[in-house]
Amino acid sequence: MSAASPLAGRVEVLPAEDESHTAARFTVEDSETVLPGHYPGFPIFPGVCLVECTHLAAVATAPGGAKAAELAAVESTRFTGPVFPGDRLEIAMGWKQTPAGDWLCRAKLATRRGDAATVRLRYRARTAAPEVAA
């Protein structure tokens, strides 16, 4: 889990088909700290947390060439169904390297009720910090 993550729970990595098709899951526990304020009396897991689940799953399952990459962009999101406390999110990811060398992660998130979101993230190889002359 990243230090700045708003999520209390952990992403569970699932066995992968191959390096370009990976999977993970995340259970939305009642104890998630984002739930009390979103919405009082009717808790729903925020869309930004679905993006964070996808990012954490992507980092945990990145193909060899993308292991050291950093998030460069959230290219698209589409939220198609609500996610509630107690739901288990299944996250299916497809990876592809672009001609420029970036990595695209296309993810579909679903609960037992059906689709919850699609998220597309772009990762770029980390660049070394420039040396400062003394």
Side-chain angles (χ1 to χ4, degrees):
M1 182 167 25
S2 87
S5 178
L7 303 179
R10 297 197 184 277
V11 169
E12 175 188 355
V13 174
L14 300 175
E17 232 178 89
D18 57 52
E19 198 172 67
S20 66
H21 294 89
T22 60
R25 77 170 50 118
F26 181 85
T27 301
V28 180
E29 301 291 346
D30 292 335
S31 59
E32 281 295 334
T33 59
V34 298
L35 292 173
H38 202 334
Y39 293 96
F42 186 72
I44 189 168
F45 200 55
V48 69
C49 291
L50 296 176
V51 174
E52 178 70 0
C53 283
T54 303
H55 171 62
L56 294 175
V59 168
T61 65
K67 290 269 186 229
E70 62 188 348
L71 183 62
V74 176
E75 291 200 336
S76 68
T77 59
R78 183 166 186 216
F79 305 110
T80 54
V83 177
F84 301 112
D87 280 347
R88 183 172 69 187
L89 282 169
E90 301 292 336
I91 307 166
M93 294 161 284
W95 288 91
K96 181 179 177 183
Q97 191 168 22
T98 69
D102 289 350
W103 287 87
L104 293 179
C105 176
R106 296 173 190 250
K108 291 187 179 193
L109 291 77
T111 68
R112 70 186 183 292
R113 288 182 307 284
D115 291 344
T118 57
V119 177
R120 189 172 67 220
L121 305 175
R122 184 168 37 89
Y123 292 85
R124 180 172 297 137
R126 293 183 192 269
T127 56
E131 291 186 34
V132 178

